Amino acid sequence: MNVATDNWREVQATAKQALTDELVAFIDGCCSGPEPHSNLIAVLHKVQHHFGHLAAPQLDAVAQLMQIPAAKVAGVASFYHFFRLKPRGRHMINVCLGTACYVKGADRIAQRLIDELGISWGETSKDGMFTLEGSRCLGTCGLAPVLTVDQEVYGNLTPDQVPLILDNYLKKAREEKQR
Ligand code: FES
């Protein structure tokens, strides 16, 4: 009996279980090309798109199936800001920190969000409702200072509007729960 081969199959099977058939097929396709490792970012994007973030079991599975050292896969995932290693909240808050918004008080908006939610940049509130992120110009400078919650744009903000915006989403969540 070839022990190494048996173990290899087991490792591959475990890796596949951490993903979906579609993701495994995508990885297989990437690995059949001339430079499989160059597809790592594309694979991580696809995995994140499906799961919402890149958790350790999925990163390990990608490493196994692509035959890339796990440390390298984890390094790539943590290097790029567009990869998320923790689950995101139900709503994504994006505060514009571009020049026009900054001049109009984006820092005070951001601080109010941080105080209200009790979290810092990139973190998710304890109730799982909100993830807080900052970004460069959102393209609506005329409304500065601006933030978005998911696809919704809120402009001409004052810090006192922040709790009202948050309450709105919390209220909707409560109503949905009661239905
Ligand atoms: S700088 Fe904030 S929208 Fe442009």
Side-chain angles (χ1 to χ4, degrees):
M1 184 173 81
N2 186 331
V3 175
T5 304
D6 285 352
N7 180 260
W8 170 243
R9 286 205 180 118
E10 205 176 292
V11 167
Q12 291 274 300
T14 305
K16 287 177 183 175
Q17 276 170 15
L19 300 171
T20 64
D21 290 348
E22 190 198 339
L23 288 168
V24 170
F26 182 74
I27 292 171
D28 281 349
C30 289
C31 291
S32 63
E35 298 214 25
H37 291 194
S38 66
N39 292 313
L40 176 58
I41 287 180
V43 168
L44 292 177
H45 267 301
K46 198 134 175 112
V47 172
Q48 178 169 276
H49 184 71
H50 181 83
F51 290 100
H53 70 290
L54 298 170
Q58 281 73 46
L59 290 176
D60 286 346
V62 168
Q64 285 297 343
L65 296 176
M66 295 189 79
Q67 285 296 283
I68 298 174
K72 183 174 177 188
V73 174
V76 168
S78 55
F79 180 78
Y80 292 102
H81 76 277
F82 43 75
F83 290 131
R84 189 179 305 284
L85 302 180
K86 291 182 187 162
R88 55 183 283 175
R90 185 166 169 186
H91 299 289
M92 200 70 210
I93 301 177
N94 213 328
V95 185
C96 180
L97 300 172
T99 307
C101 287
Y102 197 81
V103 167
K104 295 256 187 140
D107 55 335
R108 288 184 291 120
I109 303 296
Q111 191 56 54
R112 188 65 184 261
L113 277 162
I114 288 168
D115 293 343
E116 291 286 333
L117 296 171
I119 58 175
S120 192
W121 299 111
E123 292 182 346
T124 298
S125 56
K126 277 204 182 90
D127 59 4
M129 279 292 286
F130 303 103
T131 297
L132 180 61
E133 287 198 336
S135 66
R136 304 245 173 240
C137 181
L138 292 170
T140 51
C141 306
L143 299 175
V146 176
L147 66 78
T148 58
V149 181
D150 306 327
Q151 310 304 325
E152 200 72 37
V153 178
Y154 296 89
N156 297 313
L157 288 169
T158 63
D160 287 344
Q161 286 175 289
V162 166
L164 302 176
I165 293 169
L166 298 177
D167 277 351
N168 211 16
Y169 288 90
L170 292 168
K171 195 174 148 208
K172 272 188 211 158
R174 280 197 298 272
E175 284 170 0
E176 278 170 24
K177 221 174 173 181
Q178 282 165 3
R179 273 184 219 144

